[in-house]
Amino acid sequence: DTGVSQNPRHKITKRGQNVTFRCDPISEHNRLYWYRQTLGQGPEFLTYFQNEAQLEKSRLLSDRFSAERPEGSISTLTIQRTEQRDSAMYRCASSLVASGDYTDTQYFGPGTRLTVL
Amino acid sequence: KNQVEQSPQSLIILEGKNCTLQCNYTVSPFSNLRWYKQDTGRGPVSLTIMTFSENTKSNGRYTATLDADTKQSSLHITASQLSDSASYICVVPVRTDKLIFGTGTRLQVFP
């Protein structure tokens, strides 16, 4: 278990630019989640994948946001035409959930801190 | 083993009635417990976050209670509305990079 990794760890960009973040989940985890977290708050769900299928998207995820997990492992989150309000920590989590499980243990990556100037 | 168990799995009530959802956890060390509301086809939205020292916390018609001794939490919904129909998920972090999610209680409010 090497844990969930994310890169870059920090990203500073100018308003209007596009940014892409990468998440490497724990090997063989079938679920991958993207969250946004602001200072002092818990993670706010953005979207999640079951293998390569994107199953849910939050209302927080505007049309400028897109996420992919084409091969069911690594995922990317892209924000187009960034705005200052997009500044936050973007965290990825992965889990292994089997049919009949009643607990979903999600392992979080360290996050990518985005600052939009 | 760290676990979060919710009951009931599903609940049907009439509009205007109150209801209480339960969450039992065996997570150590304990720092906080969160309740999320998840509308069908949408992701979970945070309702409350309760720390070890808090016994009760309200968010409008939602009131969460926490008993850290018995490791139980409840979410009470007052004067239910049709828009309360959703899944309610209890979440307990083990550490900052590991959160335990219960599978939720599916609430249906009928007129």
Side-chain angles (χ1 to χ4, degrees):
Chain A
D1 179 354
T2 57
V4 178
S5 62
Q6 293 183 244
N7 67 77
R9 295 293 303 275
H10 303 274
K11 179 70 176 179
I12 299 174
T13 189
K14 291 183 179 179
R15 188 174 52 188
Q17 297 295 306
N18 300 341
V19 295
T20 296
F21 311 140
R22 173 181 165 131
C23 171
D24 285 72
I26 293 173
S27 179
E28 299 181 352
H29 275 192
N30 55 0
R31 288 195 181 180
L32 187 147
Y33 301 78
W34 283 100
Y35 293 85
R36 181 166 64 192
Q37 189 167 8
T38 52
L39 194 63
Q41 301 297 315
E44 294 292 338
F45 171 86
L46 294 178
T47 187
Y48 98 90
F49 294 83
Q50 175 86 16
N51 299 312
E52 68 278 5
Q54 187 173 16
L55 296 188
E56 290 180 13
K57 289 177 65 174
S58 164
R59 290 190 185 96
L60 294 174
L61 215 64
S62 76
D63 292 342
R64 298 183 294 105
F65 288 70
S66 61
E68 295 184 337
R69 196 188 186 199
E71 297 179 1
S73 55
I74 294 168
S75 177
T76 58
L77 177 69
T78 298
I79 308 174
Q80 296 179 319
R81 304 181 303 282
T82 53
E83 302 175 2
Q84 285 186 323
R85 60 183 171 142
D86 297 333
S87 295
M89 176 76 82
Y90 290 84
R91 302 190 73 184
C92 168
S94 71
S95 66
L96 178 63
V97 179
S99 175
D101 283 353
Y102 64 84
T103 291
D104 177 6
T105 300
Q106 298 186 19
Y107 294 81
F108 279 69
T112 295
R113 180 166 294 285
L114 173 66
T115 301
V116 182
L117 303 176
Chain B
K1 183 178 178 182
N2 291 312
Q3 291 182 336
V4 174
E5 190 167 358
Q6 294 185 242
S7 63
Q9 286 189 329
S10 61
L11 182 63
I12 298 174
I13 61 173
L14 294 177
E15 187 178 13
K17 298 297 185 182
N18 304 335
C19 67
T20 300
L21 315 179
Q22 298 292 338
C23 173
N24 297 336
Y25 61 92
T26 54
V27 176
S28 182
F30 175 79
S31 63
N32 63 79
L33 181 146
R34 307 166 186 185
W35 282 94
Y36 285 77
K37 177 185 178 186
Q38 182 170 11
D39 293 314
T40 301
R42 301 290 186 178
V45 174
S46 180
L47 292 176
T48 67
I49 299 176
M50 301 184 69
T51 61
F52 182 87
S53 59
E54 294 175 304
N55 300 119
T56 184
K57 202 164 192 178
S58 293
N59 178 1
R61 294 179 296 101
Y62 300 102
T63 299
T65 64
L66 175 66
D67 186 334
D69 292 330
T70 61
K71 300 184 188 240
Q72 295 180 326
S73 176
S74 65
L75 181 69
H76 186 75
I77 304 175
T78 305
S80 61
Q81 300 176 358
L82 298 179
S83 59
D84 292 331
S85 295
S87 289
Y88 292 84
I89 303 170
C90 176
V91 182
V92 182
V94 175
R95 52 179 195 254
T96 57
D97 65 339
K98 183 176 177 179
L99 275 64
I100 313 292
F101 285 67
T103 52
T105 293
R106 176 152 183 78
L107 174 67
Q108 292 177 277
V109 181
F110 287 141

